């Protein structure tokens, strides 16, 4: 069993990005700049955005954090997005989700210029991804592809079972794994909350990608000997022994599943760390105008 080390892989990708930024600087080019809009004070969102901004500093990007209180109006947000779309400085930006209920999230996401949509959530980028055109891939599936690629995991002709159909993880993951490319060329089954007999499907899988948010959903009896198991789930469960009062648990019953696997991601330290690296990568691609040439 080989542990897929997301932390190490993320650090390697961030080092490559930092090297590219150093080269851009040395050649007198414009340093990539990521902006993030954060609404409200939700603990998780504040941490995520802070980590994204800190990661920008580490690789040498410029960054700006734009904060609003919970009562910000949709108009104010849309005006800021328009300003960022037109900015000469900002290459890419994100709107941290979730947004308060009085704001129409879809309208906000669609206001982002697809050329600066480094989260890859705009329908133009989703459509381009489905059509096999260059696009900004959503960071989590993009990170999983990197993990598979950098560990040289065979995907050609394999049966990949993706569990979860969210727009940010499961659905794009299922599309990408079926693409005529590496990593890809897999036969894909997409399971979700309406799936009857999940175990029937997972037992046939060469590759399982679980993105559900139910700790321990995938048990050893559901996994074929030698399978590759990628666990996206990160659920906070109470843990009095931790300073934070909680720990993260994945969708996979790691202790019992791991001995059966050829490769498996831990939680934490698997898929999670890659998400930030791939957001930075998308920002670099935006600055280099690689997606919309
Ligand atoms: P979501 O809540 O939007 O979707 C969950 C999906 O699971 C749904 O499509 C639903 O149909 C499916 N589902 C629910 N119960 C099921 C069941 N019993 N059997 C099969 N499928 C079932 O989730 P999301 O935003 O895609 O996130 C999924 C998990 O991944 C969460 O734990 C989240 O915290 C985590 N996540 C981690 C990262 C990261 O590590 N960087 C990024 C995104 C999401």
């Amino acid at each position: 069993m080989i542990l897929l080390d997301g932390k190490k892989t993320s650090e390697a990708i961030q080092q490559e990005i930092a090297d590219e930024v150093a080269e851009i600087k040395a050649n007198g080019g414009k340093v990539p700049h990521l902006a993030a809009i954060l609404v409200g004070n939700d603990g998780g969102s504040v941490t995520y955005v802070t980590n994204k901004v800190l990661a920008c500093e580490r690789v040498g990007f410029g960054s700006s954090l734009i904060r609003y209180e919970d009562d910000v109006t949709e108009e104010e947000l849309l005006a800021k997005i328009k300003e960022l779309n037109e900015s000469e400085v900002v290459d890419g930006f994100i709107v941290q989700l979730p947004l308060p209920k009085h704001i129409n999230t879809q309208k906000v996401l669609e206001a982002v210029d697809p050329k600066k949509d480094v989260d890859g959530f705009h329908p133009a980028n989703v459509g381009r991804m489905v059509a096999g055109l260059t696009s900004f891939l959503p960071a989590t599936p993009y990170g999983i592809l990197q993990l598979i690629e950098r560990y040289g995991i065979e995907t050609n002709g394999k049966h990949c079972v993706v569990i979860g159909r969210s727009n940010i993880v499961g659905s794009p993951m299922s599309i990408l794994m079926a693409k005529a490319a590496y990593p890809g060329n897999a036969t894909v089954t997409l399971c979700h909350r309406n799936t009857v007999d999940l175990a029937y499907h997972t037992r046939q899988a060469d590759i399982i990608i679980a993105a559900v948010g139910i700790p321990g959903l995938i048990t050893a009896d559901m996994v074929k000997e030698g399978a590759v198991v990628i666990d996206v789930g990160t659920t906070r469960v109470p843990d009095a022994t931790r300073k934070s009062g909680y720990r993260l648990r994945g969708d996979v019953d790691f202790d019992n599943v791991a001995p059966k696997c050829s490769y498996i991601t831990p939680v934490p330290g698997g898929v999670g760390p890659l998400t930030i690296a791939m957001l930075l990568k998308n920002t670099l691609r935006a600055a280099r105008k690689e997606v919309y040439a």
Side-chain angles (χ1 to χ4, degrees), residues 48 139-141 162-171 190-195 198 210-215 217-218 222 231-236 248-251 267 270-276:
Y48 293 144
T140 304
V162 178
I163 314 159
R165 61 181 162 191
S166 72
N167 287 341
I168 62 167
V169 192
S171 289
L190 179 56
C191 298
H192 44 73
R193 71 173 79 249
N194 299 76
T195 297
L198 179 63
V212 179
I214 301 179
L217 176 72
I218 309 300
M222 296 168 75
D231 189 354
V232 188
T234 44
T235 306
R236 288 179 176 195
L248 291 183
R249 272 205 70 199
D251 292 341
V267 175
V271 173
L274 285 160
T275 301
I276 283 189

Side-chain angles (χ1 to χ4, degrees), residues 3-279:
L3 208 56
L4 295 167
D5 188 336
K7 193 162 176 280
K8 212 173 80 188
T9 308
S10 173
E11 281 164 9
I13 294 168
Q14 291 187 55
Q15 187 56 53
E16 290 161 17
I17 295 170
D19 291 347
E20 282 200 49
V21 175
E23 201 182 307
I24 292 171
K25 277 187 184 160
N27 295 332
K30 182 194 164 298
V31 167
H33 189 110
L34 175 73
I37 298 180
L38 172 62
V39 179
N41 297 298
D42 170 74
S45 293
V46 173
T47 309
Y48 293 144
V49 172
T50 308
N51 287 340
K52 288 169 186 174
V53 170
L54 287 174
C56 284
E57 284 172 19
R58 272 201 308 275
V59 298
F61 284 4
S63 65
S64 8
L65 174 57
I66 301 142
R67 290 195 73 161
Y68 291 101
E69 292 301 324
D70 270 322
D71 59 0
V72 64
T73 64
E74 195 172 285
E75 289 65 38
E76 276 178 274
L77 269 189
L78 293 173
K80 178 51 80 176
I81 289 170
K82 185 166 183 289
E83 187 190 314
L84 295 175
N85 282 341
E86 289 164 2
S87 165
E88 299 277 330
V89 175
V90 173
D91 297 293
F93 65 99
I94 59 167
V95 182
Q96 185 66 38
L97 302 181
L99 292 171
K101 288 208 169 45
H102 67 278
I103 294 184
N104 181 337
T105 300
Q106 196 56 31
K107 196 169 167 189
V108 166
L109 293 183
E110 289 190 32
V112 176
D113 182 342
K115 297 185 181 68
K116 296 192 177 188
D117 169 39
V118 287
D119 261 341
F121 294 162
H122 191 288
N125 280 311
V126 179
R128 289 176 68 94
M129 173 192 68
V130 174
L133 304 171
T134 55
S135 65
F136 291 112
L137 299 180
T140 304
Y142 193 10
I144 294 169
L145 293 182
Q146 285 291 315
L147 210 49
I148 292 173
E149 189 177 336
R150 286 171 188 248
Y151 277 85
I153 295 171
E154 182 63 84
T155 59
N156 192 2
K158 300 294 182 192
H159 184 196
C160 176
V161 173
V162 178
I163 314 159
R165 61 181 162 191
S166 72
N167 287 341
I168 62 167
V169 192
S171 289
M173 200 67 242
S174 69
I175 289 162
L176 291 164
M177 289 303 284
K179 284 261 165 259
Y182 177 76
N185 278 320
T187 303
V188 177
T189 300
L190 179 56
C191 298
H192 44 73
R193 71 173 79 249
N194 299 76
T195 297
V196 176
D197 200 354
L198 179 63
Y200 166 80
H201 298 284
T202 57
R203 272 199 282 270
Q204 298 173 46
D206 302 303
I207 303 168
I208 295 174
I209 302 175
V212 179
I214 301 179
L217 176 72
I218 309 300
T219 49
D221 59 308
M222 296 168 75
V223 178
K224 183 167 86 174
E225 200 68 48
V228 176
V229 174
I230 295 175
D231 189 354
V232 188
T234 44
T235 306
R236 288 179 176 195
V237 296
D239 184 343
T241 68
R242 303 282 171 102
K243 212 165 64 187
S244 59
Y246 71 86
R247 70 190 167 96
L248 291 183
R249 272 205 70 199
D251 292 341
V252 176
D253 173 13
F254 183 89
D255 290 347
N256 294 309
V257 170
K260 295 183 87 172
C261 297
S262 54
Y263 296 88
I264 187 166
T265 57
V267 175
V271 173
L274 285 160
T275 301
I276 283 189
M278 302 328 291
L279 174 67

